[in-house]
């Protein structure tokens, strides 16, 4: 089943798969350091203990109903039907959970969704934010690639769906050349900016607020799957099924997974222009002007509103890197009323207060 599942899933075979014999897996998250004799004593109080990521193993239930008549005719065919049905269900679940899983009783993805606060678990992720009002540009992808450390670029993959791939296939660089190598089979990019592409049907489309349509990652270095090899299948012949001449087979898999090295991951997130998330503020900078001037604020070049968003942890307190939008004051036509600007500033202040006190 594992081999067939790897062939069906677009992402599973690229992850770091670890066999588990308990209800969790421990992965070293800190790199070992070289020490030469005489340079550093292990009794030194400054030596830190190695850090480990803990990956919980979850139970996955896969029910399938089989006709009693099928069991009487061809048992091997029924067995293959159960296996094939399980693989269909599992690969779809994994291909969604690895990018977006919430981690609540299931695998956690690179960008968890369906949480009360979806930013709570990804505040330390490296991402680029692009405006919803314009399509993805070459500059967006180049910045995502350039921000990935060199040690991961040689084994990194772009992850996106085919719809996004067709859009990217049209992009060109400053010289007018395509940034992609196009497949002759389906006209989709095989490589984008010299890096290979994995197409995953469950990735977000490049539309809509807070969508994450593109992930660039060294998947094996950044995502770990823990699997218990034992798979159990139980048969149920109770009256609820017997009345319909059915038998229920319930398969139980045990699997867990989560990112274990977000330094090997970069994401492109699309937001509504001016949106301020709870933990990653894009503050609006309003330049001061003389009181005598009759002015109101307008947005300048919203299509250039692309910033790196980052949150930094320190021993003393969390330091938040705030990036400023290009909102300024000038005369002429207006797009925002004074009341709207005041309301936006109030929201920004409250978000900043909640973040720093948190």
């Amino acid at each position: 089943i594992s081999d067939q599942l790897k062939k069906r899933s677009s992402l599973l075979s690229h992850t770091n798969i670890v066999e588990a014999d308990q209800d969790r897996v421990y992965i070293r998250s800190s790199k070992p350091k070289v020490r030469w004799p005489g340079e550093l004593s292990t009794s030194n109080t400054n030596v830190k203990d190695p850090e480990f990521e803990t990956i919980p193993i979850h139970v996955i239930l896969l029910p399938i109903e089989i006709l009693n008549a099928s069991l009487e005719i061809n048992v091997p065919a029924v067995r293959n039907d159960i296996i094939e049905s399980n693989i269909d269900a599992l690969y779809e679940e994994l291909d969604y959970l690895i990018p977006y899983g919430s981690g609540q009783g299931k695998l956690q993805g690179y960008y968890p969704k369906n949480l009360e606060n979806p930013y709570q678990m990804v505040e330390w992720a490296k991402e680029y934010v692009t405006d919803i009002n314009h399509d993805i540009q070459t500059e967006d992808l180049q910045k995502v690639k350039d921000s990935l450390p060199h040690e991961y670029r040689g084994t990194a993959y772009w992850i996106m769906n085919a719809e996004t791939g067709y859009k990217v296939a049209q992009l060109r660089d400053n010289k007018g050349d395509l940034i992609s190598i196009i497949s002759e089979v389906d006209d989709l990019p095989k490589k984008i900016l010299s890096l290979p592409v994995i197409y995953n049907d469950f990735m977000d489309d490049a539309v809509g607020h807070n969508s994450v349509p593109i992930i660039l990652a060294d998947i094996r270095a950044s995502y770990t799957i823990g699997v218990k090899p034992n798979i159990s299948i139980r048969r149920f012949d109770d009256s609820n099924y017997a009345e319909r001449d059915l038998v229920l087979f319930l398969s139980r898999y045990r699997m867990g997974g989560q990112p274990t090295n977000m330094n090997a991951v970069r994401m492109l997130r699309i937001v509504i222009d001016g949106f301020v998330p709870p933990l990653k503020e894009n503050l609006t900078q309003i330049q001061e002007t003389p009181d005598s001037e009759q002015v109101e604020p307008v947005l300048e070049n919203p299509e250039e509103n692309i910033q790196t968003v980052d949150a930094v942890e320190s021993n003393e307190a969390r330091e938040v890197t705030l990036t400023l939008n290009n909102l300024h004051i000038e005369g002429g036509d207006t797009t925002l009323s004074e009341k709207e600007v005041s309301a936006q500033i109030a929201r920004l202040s409250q978000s900043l207060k909640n973040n720093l006190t948190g």
Side-chain angles (χ1 to χ4, degrees):
I1 291 179
S2 297
D3 291 339
Q4 294 184 47
L5 187 57
K6 288 179 183 178
K7 293 178 182 179
R8 295 290 295 275
S9 170
S10 64
L11 300 175
L12 180 61
S13 62
H14 297 281
T15 64
N16 177 31
I17 301 177
V18 179
E19 193 170 292
D21 56 3
Q22 299 179 356
D23 60 352
R24 60 193 64 246
V25 175
Y26 298 95
I27 301 295
R28 180 188 290 270
S29 58
S30 59
K31 293 183 179 179
K33 296 182 179 180
V34 174
R35 180 177 67 86
W36 298 96
E39 286 188 344
L40 181 65
S41 172
T42 55
S43 61
N44 192 313
T45 56
N46 293 326
V47 176
K48 295 183 179 180
D49 292 332
E51 299 177 358
F52 293 89
E53 293 279 353
T54 302
I55 303 175
I57 302 298
H58 307 288
V59 175
I60 303 174
L61 301 178
L62 294 167
I64 179 173
E65 297 174 351
I66 302 292
L67 284 171
N68 256 318
S70 300
L71 293 172
E72 297 172 359
I73 298 173
N74 194 339
V75 174
V78 171
R79 174 182 177 276
N80 292 335
D81 189 20
I82 294 174
I83 292 175
E84 190 65 28
S85 298
N86 289 347
I87 291 173
D88 284 342
L90 276 174
Y91 101 82
E92 292 181 356
E93 193 76 3
L94 290 174
D95 279 359
Y96 174 79
L97 291 177
I98 291 175
Y100 305 125
S102 68
Q104 306 300 303
K106 59 183 68 174
L107 281 69
Q108 178 185 322
Y110 288 125
Y111 194 86
K113 292 191 174 183
N114 300 323
L115 294 175
E116 183 177 348
N117 180 2
Y119 304 92
Q120 181 180 357
M121 301 176 73
V122 292
E123 58 182 294
W124 31 261
K126 304 295 189 302
E127 60 179 347
Y128 278 86
V129 179
T130 187
D131 186 1
I132 196 174
N133 294 322
H134 76 276
D135 291 330
I136 295 172
Q137 304 293 324
T138 299
E139 292 77 10
D140 299 345
L141 300 180
Q142 188 66 59
K143 288 182 178 180
V144 171
K145 177 185 174 182
D146 291 345
S147 70
L148 189 70
H150 284 278
E151 61 183 299
Y152 302 116
R153 289 187 200 172
T155 48
Y157 290 86
W158 298 99
I159 308 172
M160 64 187 71
N161 65 27
E163 189 66 28
T164 302
Y166 285 122
K167 293 182 179 180
V168 174
Q170 309 301 318
L171 298 181
R172 298 178 179 271
D173 58 21
N174 294 332
K175 298 179 181 179
D177 299 325
L178 291 173
I179 66 171
S180 305
I181 298 176
I182 308 300
S183 169
E184 297 179 357
V185 177
D186 51 16
D187 296 327
L188 283 168
K190 295 187 295 184
K191 288 189 175 182
I192 299 171
L193 296 173
S194 302
L195 299 181
V197 186
I198 293 175
Y199 291 102
N200 180 357
D201 293 339
F202 301 94
M203 290 292 293
D204 288 345
D205 290 329
V207 295
H209 172 61
N210 216 31
S211 61
V212 180
I214 295 176
I215 295 175
L216 177 64
D218 180 339
I219 305 173
R220 193 173 303 279
S222 62
Y223 200 94
T224 301
I225 295 279
V227 179
K228 271 195 168 184
N230 296 330
I231 299 171
S232 64
I233 301 178
R234 296 182 62 188
R235 172 174 172 163
F236 293 87
D237 294 283
D238 57 55
S239 58
N240 291 331
Y241 298 99
E243 291 178 357
R244 295 180 290 156
D245 197 29
L246 295 174
V247 177
L248 175 69
F249 288 91
L250 183 63
S251 303
R252 294 170 62 91
Y253 294 81
R254 294 162 182 85
M255 180 183 295
Q258 67 186 43
T260 47
N261 179 13
M262 287 301 291
N263 197 38
V265 183
R266 295 295 182 269
M267 294 178 282
L268 184 69
R269 182 162 63 93
I270 297 178
V271 300
I272 296 174
D273 185 29
F275 170 77
V276 181
L279 291 179
K280 299 178 181 179
E281 286 77 5
N282 296 328
L283 292 186
T284 301
Q285 181 183 36
I286 302 181
Q287 300 174 352
E288 295 183 0
T289 56
D291 294 338
S292 59
E293 296 183 16
Q294 299 293 326
V295 294
E296 288 196 37
V298 296
L299 284 172
E300 178 185 29
N301 299 330
E303 68 277 2
E304 297 178 359
N305 183 23
I306 302 172
Q307 298 90 15
T308 305
V309 187
D310 193 11
V312 183
E313 295 287 341
S314 69
N315 294 329
E316 298 295 332
R318 184 170 59 195
E319 300 173 355
V320 180
T321 301
L322 303 178
T323 309
L324 306 180
N325 284 341
N326 295 324
L327 182 65
H328 74 292
I329 301 293
E330 67 180 18
D333 297 335
T334 61
T335 58
L336 296 176
S337 69
E338 182 177 353
K339 182 177 180 181
E340 290 172 330
V341 172
S342 299
Q344 186 178 11
I345 293 174
R347 290 195 300 271
L348 290 169
S349 300
Q350 185 61 42
S351 296
L352 180 59
K353 179 180 178 181
N354 293 341
N355 185 22
L356 295 180
T357 56

